[in-house]
Amino acid sequence: MARTFALEGPPAGWRRDLLADLNEEQRAVVTAKGGPMLVVAGAGSGKTRALTYRLAWLVERGADPGRILLMTFTNRAAQDMLRRVGALLHQDIRRIWGGTFHHIGNRLLRLYGTRVGVDPAFTIIDREDSSSLMRSCVMDLGLSHEKRNFPNKNVLVAISSLARNTMSSVENIVDDRYSDFTDKLPDIQRTLEAYTEKKRESQVLDFDDLLGKWLELLEDHSDVRNMLADRFENIMVDEYQDTTAIQGRIVDCLGAKHRNICVVGDDAQAIYSFRGATFANILHFQDRYPDAVLYKLETNYRSTPEILGLANDSIGHNRHRLEKHLRAVKEVGIMPALVPCEDHNQQARFIAEYVRYLLDHGKKPSDIAVLYRSHWHSMEIQLELQRATIPFQVRGGVRFFEQAHVKDLLAYLRIIHNPHDETAWNRVLPHIQGIGERLSQRVWNAICYHDNPLKSAVRDETVNVLPKRLRADFLALAKLLNKLAGMTVPGPILAKILKERYDNYVTVTFENARQRRDDLRGMIEFAEDYDTSETFLGDVTLATEFAGETALGEENADADHAVILSTVHQAKGLEWSVVFIPWLVEGRFPVEWSKNEVDEEEEERRIFHVAVTRGEKELYLLVPRLAHRRNKGIIRLEPSVFVRELSEHVYEPLLIESGGVRRHRDSRGRGRKESGCSCEDSADGELVYDYDA
Ligand code: ATP
Ligand code: MG
């Protein structure tokens, strides 16, 4: 006989008091009757929580889950919220429409796309597919060979995407953001038109079409608009500050009938303008909805008053922002520490040893995050954590040395170091416009039997295996590599290659050329510490070898057991007990290119704000003092403006000293002695950390 097992659900008639988990301000949001609602509140004030509970509240009061639409920044965030709602209600809420804008657009176009010429069976192409489609348009139009320096497929895709997301013309985008290509505008426009046509012919939609076609459906077809506007009784958007113009418009169309639009955001955390997001959507919400009710959440549950104090002090330097007040409910804690380091090596060592210390004193790896401005800032930190056998996970997947542009530049050095390295040749040769896999192989076949393939590369018989139009460029490359082969020190070799060869390739190839160039400069600086290419390449290879795993082995590599290394951008909405922010020097954080533009500097400050406000209990701001440059000797780095402008009372210096002592104080000046570690008050009352202990 079959045995049965009953799952214990809540007793019949059970109802959880949702409001008990909320404060007064949050309750007002959760229980509001409806109409346009704008919740603007600082980090950690429970915006996401209020939105989640409002969903539960509405369903509990009888709202039809199938008529609620929730849009968030990642699908994972939506799933987390919906799971929470399910748990609060003990009810199946799978009919709620939740996900990113793209996710929802996809669903709706499958249903109603025929109206805008979209076959319901359409395929979605990812960025990579978009790029190859764009590439074939460039080829069809014959633009690649004749026009040197014509933007590469990825740049073209980015231009197309920005134009659509910001709802502005290609001309504006090129003028504003890609001014290197202004003279190519007519050809760029032709290419983008061909691209649109090709997508239509092959019945594919790219990511931007999911929004573009969706909006077209709403704007050009009043019957569909009315039907959808009727369907969605309640619309909710989290992280509204990072929505783009087109996403803002979509929300407005969908909400046109019931006008129950609840948007939640924090202008101080708007950090995606490089992708076309605009917090104008928040700033002008009340212009578009004069009857909108503005809600404020002014209690911060995430961070200690000390961390909050520092966050507020910093963001106060931005002019473009909405004034907000936040009070912390957490108890007085440890002052944020400003940690001056000798150089980047000491910075990495401090983080690794301090993390070890925290782990020995009861923290879990998953309580800790290192948040940086640019991916390359994590290089030495990754190596150092690896050496210290601390499990870590790099959020966003690709580790620094595995990125295409990093591997590209390294490939030149590999050829110089070992001219027999076929893979390196095959990576480098296609950087010459016109050389593909086939020609690259032909060159390799011509040189590989020689004792020194690099030397034989400059010979006539090698050069002549290539079509005439490519010879001069190839010879220039071969000569440069031969010249550099006389040098052993890796830093200057890489610098020279970047300047003379690879830099131009970066411009025409990558949509985020500035960021990539910044990565490469960082790597060159990293290489400055090495005397020989051999040791440098050895360490770098080692760094890629442990990619994807951790020192403690695979089983511990998941995020629950690992210290998280992440860019600030990818840490949005999340929180950790302890946060380290390295590289707080000018040119790194804020990044170099933001210096001359007020808007860009303010966006950098918002990124810093997001980083600081991820911290719950402890915050460490690291400022390396010196950088080593082979030719120029030692250079003094300037501390970041974000550190310099802080009021002195919002942090405490933490000095690294050999044989010294460490002391933490809370903001009331109470010392917190660390048990089992060499911690005492130092004579002068400063906070000192002995990292050799
Ligand atoms: P961000 O701006 O970073 O996205 P947020 O405003 O969305 O932050 P939440 O992530 O919702 O804030 O909340 C921050 C933390 O505070 C979470 O751990 C949440 O569970 C907790 N929290 C929020 N409201 C309350 C409350 N009323 N009581 C207890 N804890 C709360
Ligand atoms: Mg949130």
Side-chain angles (χ1 to χ4, degrees):
M1 211 172 84
R3 290 191 301 167
T4 56
F5 178 75
L7 276 175
E8 249 184 68
W14 178 89
R15 206 179 207 200
R16 183 186 164 117
D17 181 9
L18 292 175
L19 301 185
D21 300 344
L22 305 165
N23 68 28
E24 207 52 57
E25 295 163 333
Q26 292 170 326
R27 270 179 223 152
V29 174
V30 170
T31 60
K33 267 218 207 84
M37 299 166 62
L38 173 63
V39 184
V40 183
S45 59
K47 294 184 295 300
T48 302
R49 182 171 174 123
L51 212 51
T52 310
Y53 275 72
R54 179 161 173 78
L55 274 168
W57 175 264
L58 290 170
V59 175
E60 197 185 62
R61 311 272 120 169
D64 177 355
R67 296 179 71 181
I68 299 179
L69 176 60
L70 165 70
M71 288 186 283
T72 52
F73 205 71
T74 61
N75 284 320
R76 177 149 176 225
Q79 282 157 14
D80 286 348
M81 289 167 78
L82 294 181
R83 204 172 306 124
R84 190 80 216 276
V85 174
L88 287 172
L89 297 180
H90 281 283
Q91 187 178 331
D92 184 3
I93 39 79
R94 270 175 298 180
R95 286 175 52 242
I96 293 181
W97 288 63
T100 59
F101 278 85
H102 293 99
H103 175 86
I104 306 289
N106 176 31
R107 279 181 69 181
L108 289 173
L109 287 170
R110 301 265 171 213
L111 296 172
Y112 310 109
T114 37
R115 298 298 298 278
V116 283
V118 174
D119 186 320
F122 67 84
T123 318
I124 304 173
I125 53 172
D126 63 14
R127 280 275 165 157
E128 211 173 320
D129 297 336
S130 300
S131 294
S132 17
L133 207 62
M134 191 66 88
R135 165 108 192 112
S136 67
C137 298
V138 174
M139 302 289 260
D140 290 353
L141 293 171
L143 291 168
S144 63
H145 296 318
E146 291 121 58
K147 311 243 168 177
R148 295 212 48 164
N149 294 336
F150 191 65
N152 159 288
K153 54 189 181 176
N154 300 323
V155 178
L156 292 164
V157 168
I159 293 174
S160 155
S161 179
L162 273 172
R164 303 190 66 191
N165 272 294
T166 57
M167 303 182 78
S168 59
S169 66
V170 171
E171 185 176 355
N172 280 344
I173 299 297
V174 173
D175 279 352
D176 279 4
R177 309 209 193 195
Y178 292 91
S179 50
D180 287 352
F181 300 121
T182 313
D183 56 324
K184 312 259 173 2
L185 182 65
D187 283 336
I188 293 175
Q189 280 165 327
R190 272 170 65 213
T191 315
L192 297 195
E193 279 157 26
Y195 172 69
T196 307
E197 187 50 30
K198 238 188 220 310
K199 281 186 299 182
R200 202 187 53 76
E201 280 166 10
S202 42
Q203 281 301 331
V204 297
L205 299 191
D206 65 15
F207 290 157
D208 305 316
D209 291 323
L210 296 175
L211 306 180
K213 288 283 173 192
W214 181 9
L215 183 62
E216 194 182 319
L217 186 68
L218 296 171
E219 289 197 323
D220 298 352
H221 301 274
S222 55
D223 56 327
V224 183
R225 180 178 60 239
N226 293 339
M227 189 253 301
L228 290 178
D230 185 52
R231 145 104 49 96
F232 293 118
E233 264 176 349
N234 279 285
I235 299 175
M236 308 197 187
V237 188
D238 197 4
E239 304 271 1
Y240 189 64
Q241 77 280 359
D242 274 325
T243 50
T244 60
I246 195 167
Q247 292 169 340
R249 185 81 72 86
I250 286 173
V251 170
D252 292 346
C253 286
L254 286 175
K257 177 159 183 219
H258 301 291
R259 302 182 82 249
N260 294 326
I261 303 173
C262 176
V263 300
V264 166
D266 177 9
D267 56 294
Q269 295 184 66
I271 57 174
Y272 273 91
S273 73
F274 70 98
R275 270 207 217 150
T278 163
F279 66 91
N281 280 345
I282 278 203
L283 292 181
H284 304 310
F285 191 80
Q286 285 170 300
D287 300 336
R288 301 203 308 284
Y289 300 97
D291 57 332
V293 182
L294 176 66
Y295 294 85
K296 292 186 175 170
L297 307 178
E298 302 195 320
T299 309
N300 175 297
Y301 289 91
R302 179 178 295 145
S303 311
T304 58
E306 289 78 11
I307 293 181
L308 202 58
L310 189 142
N312 288 338
D313 190 75
S314 167
I315 201 67
H317 292 275
N318 267 12
R319 271 189 290 142
H320 300 286
R321 75 200 167 87
L322 304 171
E323 194 61 40
K324 286 191 284 297
H325 301 278
L326 270 184
R327 52 179 180 275
V329 293
K330 282 222 161 105
E331 282 211 13
V332 168
I334 304 168
M335 280 300 262
L338 183 73
V339 191
C341 308
E342 197 58 22
D343 56 15
H344 57 106
N345 290 322
Q346 197 184 51
Q347 169 176 266
R349 215 173 134 200
F350 170 80
I351 292 177
E353 294 198 15
Y354 207 95
V355 167
R356 167 61 61 210
Y357 165 81
L358 291 168
L359 297 180
D360 290 346
H361 288 79
K363 294 275 184 215
K364 297 196 298 283
S366 57
D367 292 335
I368 304 168
V370 183
L371 305 178
Y372 35 83
R373 174 65 184 88
S374 305
H375 212 31
W376 68 267
H377 294 175
S378 69
M379 267 185 303
E380 300 92 10
I381 301 169
Q382 289 186 31
L383 286 171
E384 220 33 81
L385 291 175
Q386 170 73 10
R387 285 191 193 116
T389 65
I390 291 165
F392 67 95
Q393 197 179 66
V394 182
R395 201 166 276 265
V398 191
R399 292 187 178 212
F400 183 80
F401 293 109
E402 282 160 56
Q403 302 173 94
H405 56 299
V406 172
K407 282 174 128 179
D408 279 352
L409 189 61
L410 285 172
Y412 289 85
L413 186 63
R414 280 166 52 193
I415 294 181
I416 293 169
H417 176 62
N418 166 21
H420 294 278
D421 187 338
E422 179 180 351
T423 340
W425 279 102
N426 280 331
R427 195 161 185 115
V428 162
L429 289 171
H431 295 165
I432 294 176
Q433 215 163 23
I435 295 192
E437 226 172 277
R438 196 174 47 86
L439 287 179
S440 165
Q441 203 57 45
R442 200 190 287 173
V443 173
W444 172 248
N445 290 338
I447 59 175
C448 62
Y449 297 108
H450 293 268
D451 280 352
N452 186 337
L454 185 52
K455 280 200 179 126
S456 72
V458 289
R459 291 197 192 137
D460 283 349
E461 59 266 35
T462 309
V463 179
N464 291 341
V465 303
L466 287 168
K468 267 210 182 83
R469 61 188 160 84
L470 301 174
R471 288 179 194 164
D473 207 3
F474 171 75
L475 192 61
L477 167 70
K479 280 190 174 154
L480 175 69
L481 293 181
N482 271 289
K483 195 166 115 202
L484 296 176
M487 301 161 64
T488 48
V489 203
I493 299 181
L494 291 168
K496 190 94 180 147
I497 295 167
L498 179 63
K499 183 157 169 264
E500 306 223 340
R501 303 284 320 176
Y502 194 62
D503 192 68
N504 185 47
Y505 181 81
V506 172
T507 309
V508 298
T509 309
F510 299 111
E511 74 276 20
N512 50 353
R514 279 195 315 195
Q515 181 73 51
R516 303 224 185 201
R517 210 171 277 128
D518 206 40
D519 281 348
L520 295 173
R521 288 201 203 102
M523 181 170 73
I524 291 170
E525 203 168 292
F526 177 66
E528 295 280 351
D529 279 355
Y530 291 83
D531 290 328
T532 67
S533 299
E534 187 165 305
T535 45
F536 171 69
L537 287 169
D539 268 10
V540 167
T541 319
L542 183 76
T544 52
E545 212 171 54
F546 56 71
E549 32 172 346
T550 70
L552 296 187
E554 279 300 317
E555 71 276 15
N556 285 333
D558 62 295
D560 288 345
H561 298 97
V563 172
I564 293 295
L565 267 54
S566 169
T567 59
V568 182
H569 281 93
Q570 302 204 25
K572 239 171 78 153
L574 306 174
E575 51 196 22
W576 290 272
S577 178
V578 186
V579 166
F580 293 87
I581 310 176
W583 277 121
L584 282 164
V585 298
E586 285 297 296
R588 304 290 159 82
F589 200 165
V591 290
E592 190 68 37
W593 67 72
S594 68
K595 277 210 182 125
N596 305 321
E597 303 247 355
V598 177
D599 283 356
E600 301 228 23
E601 184 178 302
E602 295 216 338
E603 176 131 331
E604 289 295 306
R605 194 175 282 105
R606 290 194 295 269
I607 300 171
F608 179 63
H609 185 72
V610 171
V612 167
T613 53
R614 297 310 95 199
E616 293 167 358
K617 294 195 174 144
E618 300 186 29
L619 177 67
Y620 298 88
L621 308 177
L622 294 109
V623 185
R625 242 169 19 96
L626 304 172
H628 307 273
R629 297 278 191 294
R630 187 154 298 277
N631 296 327
K632 300 183 198 139
I634 291 172
I635 288 183
R636 229 189 149 75
L637 299 168
E638 195 187 355
S640 165
V641 56
F642 303 147
V643 168
R644 282 183 283 128
E645 70 194 8
L646 288 176
S647 312
E648 272 185 16
H649 67 270
V650 300
Y651 63 86
E652 227 171 34
L654 191 164
L655 306 182
I656 300 174
E657 247 180 33
S658 244
V661 288
R662 175 184 50 185
R663 188 170 66 96
H664 273 311
R665 275 184 308 210
D666 64 32
S667 61
R668 291 193 191 139
R670 297 186 302 214
R672 183 188 81 164
K673 291 203 175 170
E674 312 284 5
S675 53
C677 150
S678 63
C679 294
E680 295 164 27
D681 289 18
S682 72
D684 55 4
E686 290 217 273
L687 200 62
V688 181
Y689 171 58
D690 169 15
Y691 86 102
D692 277 325

